[in-house]
Amino acid sequence: MQISKFLSQVLLAVLALTGAAGAVATEESPARSSLNGRLFYEILLGELSVRADDSATGFTLVLDAARRSQSPELYRRAVNIALQARAGTSALSAARAWAQADPQSVEAHRYLLQILLGLNQPQEAAKPLSRVLELTGDDEKSDTIWWIVGVFEHASDKKLASQVVEDRKSTRLNSSHLVIS
């Protein structure tokens, strides 16, 4: 009974991750999911591996599925698997792959920035920091700046993190609340 309940939960999670669940019937034909048999089984095996405490295999399978499907949900899941396994280097590689696959994703660059700072690599944080600022809409700039302050506040090498921010000060932020010049 437990196994079939677990498999049902995994199946629902896979369908939710790929956007195949929750389709509403309309007069138009439903959108086709990018989920094919191979991708489904790869995600399923990845999730089962994570559940069986083999996070490395699960991470690899989910990241491979994310790369083939270009699914932000699968990239996010791969990053989260690595973070939960405390595998910072793997989380960094997944976040980099996500940011490279979807350069317009603010979320991908936010993850990348946080992971770089968490791994004490603030010298590499300049590009993701710039991308987060570039991609953030004017109405969200103030909140984003406060988020950045909070992220950099947790950096272990405060002097180096401060230097990264100083180097980026030339970026003008058009916000009614804050302008960095």
Side-chain angles (χ1 to χ4, degrees):
M1 180 66 177
Q2 280 289 46
I3 290 177
S4 74
K5 182 178 178 183
F6 170 70
L7 288 177
S8 298
Q9 290 173 339
V10 169
L11 178 58
L12 287 174
V14 168
L15 292 174
L17 284 172
T18 59
V24 177
T26 63
E27 290 182 21
E28 299 175 18
S29 63
R32 295 191 51 84
S33 170
S34 62
L35 183 65
N36 60 29
R38 180 178 176 190
L39 186 60
F40 171 79
Y41 284 112
E42 191 168 25
I43 297 166
L44 180 63
L45 283 174
E47 292 296 338
L48 289 173
S49 296
V50 170
R51 176 78 175 195
D53 291 329
D54 186 3
S55 296
T57 301
F59 166 79
T60 302
L61 290 166
V62 172
L63 182 58
D64 184 54
R67 285 183 170 138
R68 278 196 282 106
S69 68
Q70 296 298 303
S71 167
E73 293 84 5
L74 290 174
Y75 278 113
R76 183 182 310 104
R77 179 65 181 132
V79 170
N80 286 331
I81 289 169
L83 290 173
Q84 289 170 355
R86 299 190 181 280
T89 306
S90 296
L92 180 59
S93 71
R96 281 188 171 140
W98 184 7
Q100 184 177 9
D102 188 1
Q104 299 303 312
S105 170
V106 176
E107 185 180 13
H109 292 284
R110 281 182 174 225
Y111 267 95
L112 183 55
L113 179 60
Q114 287 179 299
I115 293 167
L116 285 167
L117 292 173
L119 292 174
N120 198 27
Q121 298 178 17
Q123 67 280 6
E124 294 183 41
K127 185 176 180 184
L129 173 61
S130 294
R131 290 298 293 156
V132 167
L133 292 171
E134 289 169 12
L135 295 171
T136 301
D138 289 339
D139 56 330
E140 298 172 347
K141 284 278 196 222
S142 181
D143 290 339
T144 299
I145 291 167
W146 285 111
W147 175 83
I148 290 168
V149 168
V151 170
F152 274 86
E153 191 173 65
H154 290 68
S156 54
D157 188 343
K158 303 247 188 266
K159 186 175 181 179
L160 189 54
S162 175
Q163 184 61 45
V164 170
V165 174
E166 287 294 323
D167 291 345
R168 294 294 150 208
K169 268 192 170 179
S170 62
T171 304
R172 281 209 69 74
L173 300 174
N174 298 320
S175 171
S176 59
H177 301 293
L178 182 61
V179 176
I180 296 177
S181 54

